[in-house]
Amino acid sequence: MPRLDVIGNISIDHTRYPDGRTIRLIGGAALHTAAAAHRAGLPAAPVSVVGTDLAHLPDDPRLTALDWSGITVVDGRSAQFTIEYDTLGCVSSLAAEYGVADGLTRHGLAWIDAHTADAVHVCCRRPLDAAPVLAALAEAGWRFSLDFFVSSAKQMIDQAAPFLPEAVAVFVNAAEHALLTDVVPSRQLRLVVVSDGARPVRLLRRGRLAAQARPPQTTAVEVTGAGDTLAGTFLAAVAAGASDGVALRQAVAAATDHVGAPALALEDR
């Protein structure tokens, strides 16, 4: 059975909302993407560096089904992100302490060198140095997809630019899409999925609209990880042979369910 390796952060996230809610949760793009792919039927492994404060994750009953062979535990603190959202659910500010995740690029390169994979998804977000990781994947001839995060998108898109035409899929929001197409013409990109809040999610092939799906209305509980959930679900659906339209609808439905579900709260140990 095919498998998806996801190179990126696993972190402790502190989310804050305008209504005063604050949540301390287990987060990180690699975790959310891999977990979504697994729920959609595609075995997935986050490839990440965590500290001793998250060393217990493989034993967490909510996460035991994931393949944890790609994480390495280093003495120290895991990456921590403080994310503030505005009334529209968009990120208004972000503060980061990377901790042991500073070793993510080195770990990702070592993983690529030592393993083979059916497909790899790269979460192009600090502190990852995306360029050498993407170069190694391209040189190895692996299928890869990638995403960005708005706070570092400009820098990461510039780093990734030489490899973007080789990506099987790129996942962005509307703001990131504008940055992306400033650097690489749409016709050079095989497939781009563009989310835009409550507006329809668009799937573009070589810059042309191939499918779209409107998210249903829902009451948001926790929006962190929604885009990653969309990406992981879409990749799993495509791996199972789904068409563009079916894969996109499944991905949008999963992201909507994620937003309405209780957060993966970090339990005190």
Side-chain angles (χ1 to χ4, degrees), residues 36-61:
H38 173 78
R39 287 193 298 270
L42 178 63
V47 178
S48 306
V49 180
V50 301
T52 50
D53 48 4
L54 290 181
H56 66 280
L57 288 186
D59 300 319
D60 189 313

Side-chain angles (χ1 to χ4, degrees), residues 21-110:
R21 286 184 300 129
T22 61
I23 305 174
R24 181 169 173 258
L25 53 90
I26 304 167
L31 178 64
H32 288 302
T33 304
H38 173 78
R39 287 193 298 270
L42 178 63
V47 178
S48 306
V49 180
V50 301
T52 50
D53 48 4
L54 290 181
H56 66 280
L57 288 186
D59 300 319
D60 189 313
R62 300 168 295 179
L63 299 168
T64 50
L66 273 180
D67 180 346
W68 290 102
S69 62
I71 69 164
T72 187
V73 179
V74 177
D75 189 26
R77 298 182 69 191
S78 299
Q80 301 207 23
F81 298 94
T82 300
I83 310 168
E84 295 194 15
Y85 292 99
D86 62 21
T87 55
L88 298 177
C90 299
V91 176
S92 59
S93 71
L94 174 73
E97 297 178 17
Y98 298 124
V100 300
D102 278 333
L104 177 59
T105 302
R106 183 170 60 253
H107 176 57
L109 290 170

Side-chain angles (χ1 to χ4, degrees), residues 199-220:
R199 299 178 182 86
V201 180
R202 295 174 292 143
L203 188 156
L204 309 174
R205 285 192 174 274
R206 301 294 183 184
R208 294 189 172 188
L209 183 66
Q212 61 181 343
R214 181 181 292 276
Q217 290 187 339
T218 188
T219 300

Side-chain angles (χ1 to χ4, degrees), residues 25 74-75 99 112 168 177-178 239 248 250:
L25 53 90
V74 177
D75 189 26
I112 294 167
V168 298
H177 185 236
L248 190 64
Q250 290 180 5

Side-chain angles (χ1 to χ4, degrees), residues 71 121 141 145 149 173:
I71 69 164
H121 184 76
S145 54
F149 189 68
N173 65 23

